[in-house]
Amino acid sequence: MSQSTSMASLSESIKAEIRSGRWGSFLNAGSPADRAEAQRIALKESRLGIPLLFGRDVIHGYHTIFPIPLGQAASWDPELIEQAARTAAIEASTEGIRWAFAPMIDIARDPRWGRIAESPGEDPYIASVAGVAVVRGFQGASLANPSSVAASIKHFAGYGAAEAGRDYASTWIPEVLLRDVYLRPFQACVEAGAATVMTAFSALNGVPATGNPFLLRQILRSEWKYDGMVVSDYTAVKELVPHGYASDDADAARLAFRAGVDMEMVSTTYYDHLKSLIASGQVPLAEVDDAVRNILRLKYRLGLFDQPIPAPAHSAVTPESRALAQRLATESAVLLKNDGNLLPLAETVGSVAVIGPLADSPVDQMGTWVMDARPEDVRTPFAALRQMLGDARVLYAPGLKNSRDTDPSGFEAAVNVARRADVVLLFLGEEQILSGEARSRAFLDLPGAQAALAAEIAGAGKPVVAIIQAGRPLTFHQTASQVRAVLWSFHPGTMGGPAIADLLFGRAVPSGKLTVTFPRTVGQVPIYYAHLSTGRPASLSELGIPMGNPTNPTGYTSKYIDVDFTPVYPFGYGLSYTEFTYSNLRLSNSALTQDGALIVSADVSNGGQRAAAEVVQLYVHPVAASVVQPVRLLKGFRRVSLKPGETQTVRFTLRAADLSFHNQQMQLVAEPGRYQVWIAPDSVRGLESEFILR
Ligand code: BGC
């Protein structure tokens, strides 16, 4: 039985255990030399000569760090996401890692959850596209290629729906929602050949995912015919005891194993108890054979049995990986506000004030899960701006030591710097340690005294651009109202600095669009675009409610009395330095048949002065359905590049299968009836038409 454990370095006792056949795989294991030596021992000195598998959290890059996955998704550029994953696979596999614990494709609709940073966001379609891109990038054309790494799609399933956004908390997901939203990206990645699946820490509808036969046996194995390998999350098997599901460790081993977890990560309940569970007949030997087969099949598919004795090798950030990281960071950034077209700035500007705790913080700009990255490889915005404009024109005062700092003693220096400059670039957000696993927040404001710093700086009277690097949507309405422009760059990774500098000065044009809804205030959470209507939907004429201040209640509709019901920035939203117009929506037919195709197209024009890319989105909504469907649901998108003055016709093909959802009997159906359809720049605007599905 294979067991995955951590290994800080290759000790004599671990060597002896490998010889005795005790270890089948390692996570986060040692140095390249340790891995090569461990593999040599397994191949040459263990009884069966079964190769080891080395896994690692290669989440958004290995040495070269790309934007966090939430940022990558905002690029809406699956080819680039795939290339980033390919680069990470090459860097990791060179150092002996052939298994990556990614992509994380948990749908996340709650920004309080710190792991939203690792997810592609709130929508099953974009999560499927982004997840499949990562699987392809990791696994390449053949898993057996030495530069391929096995993907691990995680966390199966529902983990992102943690109650109250608190990590590891339970999830309650009705089966229609589970199948239509949370499982869709997993199914897409299974169909794309994802080699492994990692179970979630969380309980789904009262049954922990790591001991959940419905998820693992019925859906994954029986319905999806999955023949890959299933690994638990870190100590998740043993955690079936504190969950209140298993009575003790042996019981946990039995429940997880019988549910279909092939390999246990870190905890050792299989190692300690499976033998006696088999002897007592509580675990059938045939199931053990199946699990062993699943693990060995993975090792065969990876070509590990055919490899030569490995020699330790190192990989590093290269000019090519930097260029790719910069492109993805550039495409991921979302321009949220640009009053009076303050941006782009002219490179002839006299001087700029660089202020804020995230202007020059290499570790923070990389974001969560970057254990193989080196801060010295990172180019910060401060460094990039000095390179672009020359040291003399870039004045710098951080104002705060880090994003949580509440000490205002640096404000005065920052305000002085702001006064001396022509424009202020204010770098705010969340430092690295505030998002990721076990980093849930109950407040979504800018942490520490950043809002106060922004207010002081705004008072200096110079135009201010806020550049926000964060792992999750934040609520920052006061700051947003005090600055002229807001560029949201997520945690942009190794090359975030040059990407941001290029965007600010117009060497690049923002094209990212949000894949997660930004609430006005935490009290609106969960808020996401693909919600259902109600019998009493609020109307746009009811907007204008002052934030936090109850108005005289009017109208019995679904809204708040102390804040607008709409988000501050909707899903799909992002500005450009040019103006795109949408026109001439047309359908190839007024009706679609169950086996036919409908072409939906529109003209998109660049009316501005700059070449730029626009993410054109396709949404649908069945007017009436046997299970009520979201007010809009994303069904396609195109990223189109348009020269100034250029018009392109953007075409989408819709088939009945694209319209399908689960009915009350859990059948996947495309129900006949009327459908609204939009080609749109985001989830709230766009051109609308209608067709009939027969
Ligand atoms: C996380 C996983 C990760 C694993 C191994 C767990 O705490 O939930 O996503 O892959 O650790 O490091």
Side-chain angles (χ1 to χ4, degrees):
M1 179 52 49
S2 199
Q3 172 80 43
S4 186
T5 192
S6 263
M7 167 174 85
S9 66
L10 188 61
S11 64
E12 286 308 315
S13 65
I14 293 179
K15 286 184 191 171
E17 286 171 356
I18 296 171
R19 266 180 214 109
S20 73
R22 188 175 159 192
W23 297 119
S25 64
F26 287 89
L27 82 136
N28 301 337
S31 64
D34 287 338
R35 289 192 280 271
E37 173 60 3
Q39 192 66 287
R40 189 196 63 74
I41 296 172
L43 290 171
K44 289 289 158 205
E45 297 176 14
S46 72
R47 184 169 66 87
L48 296 172
I50 297 174
L52 298 169
L53 178 56
F54 295 99
R56 196 139 176 103
D57 286 290
V58 184
I59 307 299
H60 52 114
Y62 185 71
H63 294 312
T64 308
I65 298 301
F66 300 94
I68 53 169
L70 190 61
Q72 291 190 28
S75 75
W76 302 65
D77 192 338
E79 277 105 64
L80 216 50
I81 296 173
E82 181 174 335
Q83 284 176 41
R86 184 91 286 268
T87 299
I90 292 167
E91 290 180 3
S93 61
T94 301
E95 300 200 346
I97 310 285
R98 296 295 306 282
W99 185 22
F101 303 130
M104 196 264 238
I105 44 175
D106 295 314
I107 298 297
R109 296 179 161 181
D110 191 331
R112 293 173 297 182
W113 191 50
R115 300 197 81 168
I116 197 170
E118 285 177 66
S119 116
E122 71 184 40
D123 174 70
Y125 184 84
I126 186 81
S128 302
V129 171
V132 166
V134 174
V135 170
R136 290 204 180 121
F138 279 165
Q139 300 193 171
S142 159
L143 261 189
N145 184 318
S147 73
S148 293
V149 302
S152 189
I153 50 176
K154 68 188 192 184
H155 304 83
F156 196 64
Y159 183 43
E163 258 185 0
R166 216 173 57 248
D167 207 3
Y168 317 122
S170 358
T171 69
W172 293 95
I173 309 176
E175 195 171 335
V176 278
L177 193 65
L178 183 71
R179 288 182 179 275
D180 281 340
V181 174
Y182 290 87
L183 293 182
R184 289 223 177 194
F186 285 93
Q187 188 169 7
C189 288
V190 162
E191 282 164 10
T196 78
V197 169
M198 187 189 295
T199 62
F201 283 127
S202 43
L204 171 68
N205 302 331
V207 181
T210 301
N212 196 316
F214 169 68
L215 283 175
L216 299 174
R217 294 238 181 252
Q218 183 181 320
I219 292 180
L220 186 64
R221 296 287 185 201
S222 165
E223 295 182 21
W224 297 352
K225 312 275 179 269
Y226 186 62
D227 73 349
M229 195 270 276
V230 176
V231 65
S232 78
D233 202 347
Y234 202 106
T235 64
V237 176
K238 196 178 170 70
E239 290 171 25
L240 296 182
V241 179
H243 261 294
Y245 188 59
S247 55
D248 55 25
D249 284 2
D251 200 30
R254 180 183 63 83
L255 286 163
F257 193 80
R258 300 236 42 200
V261 176
D262 300 316
M263 185 192 285
E264 177 175 11
M265 190 194 287
V266 175
S267 56
T268 58
T269 71
Y270 284 13
Y271 188 81
D272 298 335
H273 302 289
L274 261 189
K275 213 169 158 185
S276 57
L277 289 167
I278 296 164
S280 63
Q282 293 182 76
V283 166
L285 205 52
E287 285 181 11
V288 180
D289 288 342
D290 285 344
V292 170
R293 242 180 245 120
N294 292 337
I295 293 166
L296 290 180
R297 197 184 303 116
L298 173 65
K299 293 185 176 183
Y300 274 110
R301 284 179 176 163
L302 282 164
L304 295 178
F305 284 92
D306 307 319
Q307 66 183 341
I309 300 298
H314 289 270
S315 53
V317 172
T318 64
E320 294 74 35
S321 70
R322 278 191 187 283
L324 184 62
Q326 182 168 340
R327 249 186 92 194
L328 195 44
T330 306
E331 288 194 8
S332 294
V334 183
L335 183 63
L336 296 178
K337 173 176 180 176
N338 193 16
D339 274 5
N341 291 330
L342 174 63
L343 294 178
L345 303 169
E347 283 180 43
T348 49
V349 66
S351 62
V352 299
V354 171
I355 296 173
L358 282 140
D360 194 28
S361 185
V363 168
D364 293 323
Q365 99 180 35
M366 288 194 285
T368 186
W369 287 117
V370 292
M371 50 204 177
D372 294 290
R374 296 184 320 182
E376 34 312 358
D377 285 332
V378 172
R379 307 244 167 106
T380 66
F382 180 46
L385 288 162
R386 275 185 310 170
Q387 194 174 8
M388 181 186 274
L389 303 172
D391 290 2
R393 289 199 287 155
V394 183
L395 317 175
Y396 177 57
L400 292 163
K401 281 194 273 308
N402 57 47
S403 73
R404 286 163 301 145
D405 189 2
T406 52
D407 175 4
S409 58
F411 285 16
E412 198 182 319
V415 170
N416 285 337
V417 158
R419 286 212 181 96
R420 281 165 46 213
D422 296 308
V423 60
V424 179
L425 306 177
L426 185 56
F427 289 87
L428 306 173
E430 285 182 317
E431 66 208 88
Q432 180 190 51
I433 56 168
L434 296 187
S435 64
E437 187 175 351
R439 301 292 187 265
S440 296
R441 292 185 61 196
F443 296 89
L444 294 176
D445 323 10
L446 286 164
Q450 293 183 93
L453 172 65
E456 292 280 321
I457 297 299
K462 296 297 169 65
V464 182
V465 182
I467 301 94
I468 305 188
Q469 301 174 55
R472 54 159 66 76
L474 298 175
T475 53
F476 55 103
H477 73 281
Q478 207 168 348
T479 301
S481 70
Q482 290 162 343
V483 300
R484 291 262 305 272
V486 178
L487 182 68
W488 192 273
S489 71
F490 303 91
H491 286 138
T494 306
M495 293 301 279
I500 289 169
D502 281 3
L503 288 164
L504 293 174
F505 284 89
R507 292 188 187 180
V509 179
S511 58
K513 295 200 178 189
L514 300 174
T515 61
V516 63
T517 300
F518 274 42
R520 295 173 191 276
T521 176
V522 72
Q524 290 181 307
V525 171
I527 181 168
Y528 50 93
Y529 85 95
H531 62 87
L532 307 187
S533 185
T534 76
R536 296 180 172 196
S539 89
L540 294 179
S541 65
E542 294 174 88
L543 293 181
I545 295 177
M547 168 94 81
N549 196 3
T551 52
N552 189 10
T554 57
Y556 287 79
T557 59
S558 184
K559 61 177 188 293
Y560 301 96
I561 57 167
D562 51 5
V563 67
D564 281 340
F565 66 92
T566 54
V568 60
Y569 304 115
F571 177 90
Y573 174 82
L575 302 171
S576 173
Y577 294 156
T578 187
E579 280 298 318
F580 294 106
T581 49
Y582 287 57
S583 63
N584 205 9
L585 177 66
R586 46 209 188 272
L587 276 56
S588 59
N589 205 314
S590 58
L592 171 64
T593 55
Q594 289 286 336
D595 52 6
L598 181 73
I599 314 287
V600 187
S601 58
D603 298 337
V604 180
S605 312
N606 178 353
Q609 303 301 313
R610 288 166 183 274
E614 166 73 343
V615 177
V616 182
Q617 301 156 40
L618 175 77
Y619 295 93
V620 301
H621 171 69
V623 172
S626 66
V627 173
V628 177
Q629 292 299 300
V631 292
R632 277 195 191 194
L633 198 54
L634 184 72
K635 292 294 174 188
F637 65 86
R638 296 265 187 290
R639 209 188 136 83
V640 293
S641 295
L642 294 173
K643 296 189 201 70
E646 187 185 346
T647 297
Q648 272 184 36
T649 300
V650 178
R651 280 187 194 78
F652 297 95
T653 305
L654 269 179
R655 294 175 201 283
D658 299 319
L659 307 173
S660 61
F661 54 82
H662 287 87
N663 67 13
Q664 294 175 44
Q665 289 72 42
M666 292 310 135
Q667 296 153 329
L668 191 61
V669 289
E671 288 187 347
R674 278 167 57 208
Y675 285 76
Q676 290 167 287
V677 59
W678 295 261
I679 290 187
D682 57 45
S683 61
V684 295
R685 296 176 298 158
L687 305 173
E688 182 185 340
S689 186
E690 226 181 78
F691 65 89
I692 307 272
L693 176 66
R694 292 200 204 287

